[in-house]
Amino acid sequence: MEKNHANIKLIGYCGAMLLLPNIFLLFLYNNNQEATIRYEHLGILAAILAIMALGLFLGLRAIAKNSEGAFLAALLFWVLFWFFEQIYSIIVWYSPVFSRETLLAAVLFATLLFVGIVRRYYISFEKVIPVFATVTVMLYVLFVFNAIPLFQTGPLIVMAEEPLREDEPFTLTRRQFNVDTATPSPDIFWLHTDGALSFAAVERFFGDPQDEFRAALHSRGFVINENAILNAGGTWVALPTLFSPTFYDNYWGALLAATDRYINTERRRVQVIGSRLARDSIVREQHIDPYYELFHAFMAADYTVVLQGFPGLGLNPLAANRFYNIFAERTPLTIIDHDSLERQRLRHPFLAGSEELLELMTMTSPFSIIEEFLFVNLLNDLQWLTIPTHSERVQQLTVNSEPTFHEQSLFRNLLEAFTLESPKFVYTQPSFWHGNRWWYHWPSILAPIADRDPFDHNQYMVAHNFGNEVLLNMIDLILEHNPNAVIVIQADHGFHLFETQLILEEMGFSEEERFELIHATLSAVRIPPQYGGLEEPLHPKNITRELVNRFVGVNYELLP
């Protein structure tokens, strides 16, 4: 009887260990704004973590000589494992020489030290064994609690209208364009102000008059859309809305409209769309790249297209002649040669579609330590070219602002792009307005780091004013290089962060107000008079259509 009881207890511990790491995984997945990861990839990672957890527990049990001590040590390990990147970011803030490898060694040492302690003092655990049974049951309950939202998305997809039937003829994206060689060919710069609110939203919700910023843009030739609204959502949803008119007209717009009812829960809407795309054979079979129609149009007109941004937001090096990586924490500032990357993709077809799984593993584990090593070794003859620093010019431009690595890299990338042959289409992504990415990292213009809330909407105006200053510096740099440049300032979303939306709801913001804050976007376009000028503001969804029609050839109808 006693042996049966011990076996049941061990089975209970083993089951809890199988579930433990995936409680954290499901919690992250359910609270991730960009939760577009396919279920099969989530399942692969969950299975890997479960096997790792069980093996770790049994190994620790062999060392500790008891299940309870191994249970506690494993619990400690997985807490440290799942908070690895957060712990590292805090430590490296105060000790820049500290490495991820050092932290991983410390986690493993702490786990083994704890095992030694519990083995030495196991006698103390015998008095509280019922507590372990309670904790085990709690882990099962937590797993079920975090697994339930996975099954809620399916019914929502069924409820949503099907915007297309697979037996209907249609074109999702276009790669062939009407190119009119008589059209002018100006240099075009698209400044993607990630998370920046419209003039009207800033003035209405924050009571901050934007007269100075408005006048600064007007004096530089911009026509401003004061009340710009882009009813899309997070970045990965907004980019195809902005860049791919054919995809929007034939597929994406209908899908967004079908999910309008879920807009008050932006995270759920993202889950619905992401799940729909993951299962939609129309998109999969046609190998759709919905983000790149704008760039392909200008490459068809012999433009040099340069993307400068963060990998992982839908932007792929294969979409342009050159891709400038400004992911400050992971890799050096580099450019990737398009032809070289295309050759690597053909040589390593197994990499296609695997980036999502690798990114998930990087986000959720110390896998970040070997991520770059794996990438470099799999693509070992990729041509990486370092971008010059241009440090004197950058320092001159940022003397009155709060320099950050991101800010410096934006200027460096622009300066390097200026050396490329015209005509060129340059896309770059200043992100200073984006909550939870930059608000938290400016030591001298915000409160002490311990007092900051990365989701507090009141910090937005600090980010907004700082971002505007950087933006104007970028514009002046472009105009100094080319006074006749066409420049687009367009945000993808406003306050779409799920946590911030909850805060606003608790503060009494109405549903309509929260909708506006999600979708109100900074939007302004500069087209010099010699290229026809601009008499009226453009709707964000018409900017790509207008640029292509004017400077490539007539390919689109403007939306009403």
Side-chain angles (χ1 to χ4, degrees):
M1 186 70 178
E2 184 176 340
K3 184 177 180 180
N4 289 337
H5 178 72
N7 289 337
I8 293 174
K9 183 175 68 172
L10 178 59
I11 292 173
Y13 286 145
C14 289
M17 287 297 106
L18 286 170
L19 302 180
L20 175 57
N22 292 309
I23 294 173
F24 293 96
L25 177 63
L26 294 179
F27 179 81
L28 175 68
Y29 183 85
N30 291 329
N31 288 277
N32 184 359
Q33 271 296 318
E34 312 299 335
T36 60
I37 298 164
R38 296 195 296 272
Y39 281 158
E40 55 265 36
H41 282 181
L42 185 71
I44 291 171
L45 182 56
I48 294 172
L49 292 174
I51 293 171
M52 286 175 53
L54 182 59
L56 176 69
F57 171 71
L58 295 176
L60 293 175
R61 183 172 178 268
I63 298 173
K65 301 298 184 183
N66 64 86
S67 297
E68 286 72 27
F71 183 87
L72 283 179
L75 187 61
L76 171 66
F77 172 84
W78 286 111
V79 169
L80 295 176
F81 178 94
W82 276 99
F83 288 95
F84 184 88
E85 284 297 321
Q86 289 85 346
I87 295 171
Y88 174 75
S89 65
I90 294 173
I91 294 176
V92 79
W93 184 275
Y94 297 102
S95 178
V97 297
F98 198 87
S99 68
R100 287 182 172 87
E101 290 80 358
T102 305
L103 177 58
L104 181 59
V107 169
L108 295 174
F109 176 77
T111 304
L112 293 175
L113 178 63
F114 191 80
V115 169
I117 293 173
V118 298
R119 176 173 177 171
R120 172 68 176 81
Y121 297 101
Y122 172 67
I123 190 68
S124 302
F125 291 131
E126 292 183 332
K127 302 176 182 178
V128 292
I129 283 180
V131 174
F132 288 92
T134 302
V135 173
T136 302
V137 172
M138 289 175 60
L139 292 179
Y140 282 97
V141 172
L142 283 173
F143 179 83
V144 172
F145 179 79
N146 284 282
I148 289 175
L150 291 178
F151 302 102
Q152 292 179 334
T153 303
L156 290 177
I157 297 171
V158 174
M159 290 167 57
E161 299 175 20
E162 292 288 346
L164 290 171
R165 295 201 323 269
E166 296 190 23
D167 58 351
E168 293 177 345
F170 62 92
T171 301
L172 286 186
T173 60
R174 63 191 302 174
R175 293 293 178 266
Q176 301 296 322
F177 298 90
N178 171 38
V179 178
D180 184 354
T181 56
T183 60
S185 301
D187 286 349
I188 302 173
F189 294 82
W190 187 302
L191 308 181
H192 172 172
T193 50
D194 197 356
L197 289 169
S198 68
F199 280 83
V202 171
E203 292 178 335
R204 176 182 172 190
F205 291 103
F206 293 94
D208 191 311
Q210 295 292 288
D211 294 340
E212 185 176 345
F213 183 44
R214 183 183 287 108
L217 290 183
H218 280 315
S219 68
R220 290 162 173 81
F222 284 88
V223 175
I224 301 170
N225 187 337
E226 300 263 351
N227 298 282
I229 294 290
L230 183 65
N231 186 5
T235 301
W236 77 270
V237 180
L239 291 186
T241 305
L242 289 169
F243 296 158
S244 297
T246 304
F247 184 72
Y248 181 85
D249 291 345
N250 292 339
Y251 181 89
W252 199 240
L255 184 56
L256 290 176
T259 58
D260 264 345
R261 71 192 74 182
Y262 309 123
I263 194 172
N264 61 325
T265 308
E266 185 64 22
R267 178 170 58 102
R268 179 59 52 76
R269 186 184 192 188
V270 169
Q271 287 177 323
V272 171
I273 296 175
S275 298
R276 166 65 191 273
L277 286 178
R279 70 180 178 84
D280 202 326
S281 62
I282 299 174
V283 177
R284 290 198 308 271
E285 291 174 4
Q286 296 196 18
H287 306 291
I288 298 302
D289 287 327
Y291 300 91
Y292 311 136
E293 193 169 311
L294 167 65
F295 309 124
H296 281 290
F298 278 93
M299 283 195 284
D302 293 327
Y303 270 69
T304 298
V305 174
V306 181
L307 302 187
Q308 307 169 351
F310 295 95
L313 289 179
L315 298 177
N316 189 303
L318 294 172
N321 302 109
R322 294 199 175 191
F323 182 90
Y324 288 48
N325 183 354
I326 57 173
F327 207 155
E329 294 185 22
R330 296 278 172 82
T331 58
L333 292 170
T334 56
I335 61 177
I336 303 176
D337 178 78
H338 176 274
D339 293 335
S340 176
L341 190 61
E342 180 64 47
R343 289 195 300 273
Q344 295 305 316
R345 184 176 189 180
L346 294 175
R347 286 181 51 193
H348 301 286
F350 66 91
L351 289 177
S354 65
E355 297 89 347
E356 178 190 271
L357 180 58
L358 294 176
E359 183 180 356
L360 178 60
M361 295 176 70
T362 301
M363 288 192 308
T364 59
S365 73
F367 184 76
S368 53
I369 293 174
I370 61 173
E371 176 199 21
E372 188 173 348
F373 172 81
L374 280 177
F375 184 76
V376 171
N377 280 273
L378 289 173
L379 306 177
N380 51 17
D381 59 345
L382 193 64
Q383 296 178 16
W384 296 87
L385 306 174
T386 302
I387 295 176
T389 59
H390 305 288
S391 57
E392 292 183 3
R393 180 61 178 152
V394 171
Q395 291 299 331
Q396 178 185 349
L397 287 167
T398 60
V399 65
N400 293 320
S401 63
E402 178 67 21
T404 69
F405 194 88
H406 177 54
E407 176 184 353
Q408 301 291 322
S409 67
L410 290 168
F411 286 117
R412 288 169 64 181
N413 289 331
L414 278 180
L415 287 161
E416 178 67 13
F418 294 157
T419 67
L420 302 176
E421 183 179 355
S422 294
K424 48 183 167 272
F425 188 107
V426 180
Y427 166 91
T428 189
Q429 186 187 3
S431 299
F432 302 102
W433 303 262
H434 198 296
N436 195 32
R437 179 177 294 164
W438 299 110
W439 300 355
Y440 200 70
H441 294 289
W442 296 336
S444 64
I445 59 175
L446 293 176
I449 193 167
D451 300 330
R452 300 180 206 166
D453 179 353
F455 305 111
D456 181 5
H457 76 290
N458 290 309
Q459 296 185 64
Y460 173 78
M461 282 311 300
V462 177
H464 182 82
N465 292 332
F466 177 67
N468 290 352
E469 183 175 352
V470 175
L471 182 64
L472 290 174
N473 275 334
M474 293 176 69
I475 293 168
D476 289 342
L477 179 60
I478 293 169
L479 295 179
E480 179 180 304
H481 169 75
N482 183 352
N484 299 319
V486 172
I487 305 176
V488 174
I489 301 171
Q490 180 58 52
D492 50 347
H493 58 75
F495 277 153
H496 77 307
L497 291 176
F498 180 62
E499 292 84 355
T500 303
Q501 289 292 315
L502 290 179
I503 293 172
L504 296 177
E505 184 177 9
E506 292 172 358
M507 293 177 61
F509 279 70
S510 69
E511 189 174 66
E512 290 75 14
E513 289 173 326
R514 286 184 284 116
F515 290 177
E516 182 176 347
L517 284 170
I518 288 174
H519 299 298
T521 56
L522 178 62
S523 183
V525 179
R526 178 189 194 268
I527 300 180
Q530 60 265 47
Y531 302 128
L534 195 62
E535 296 183 0
E536 298 291 336
L538 289 172
H539 189 283
K541 287 184 285 191
N542 278 330
I543 295 177
T544 287
R545 301 165 193 262
E546 183 71 27
L547 293 180
V548 172
N549 286 349
R550 285 204 192 198
F551 305 122
V552 175
V554 177
N555 287 272
Y556 303 114
E557 292 184 5
L558 297 185
L559 297 177

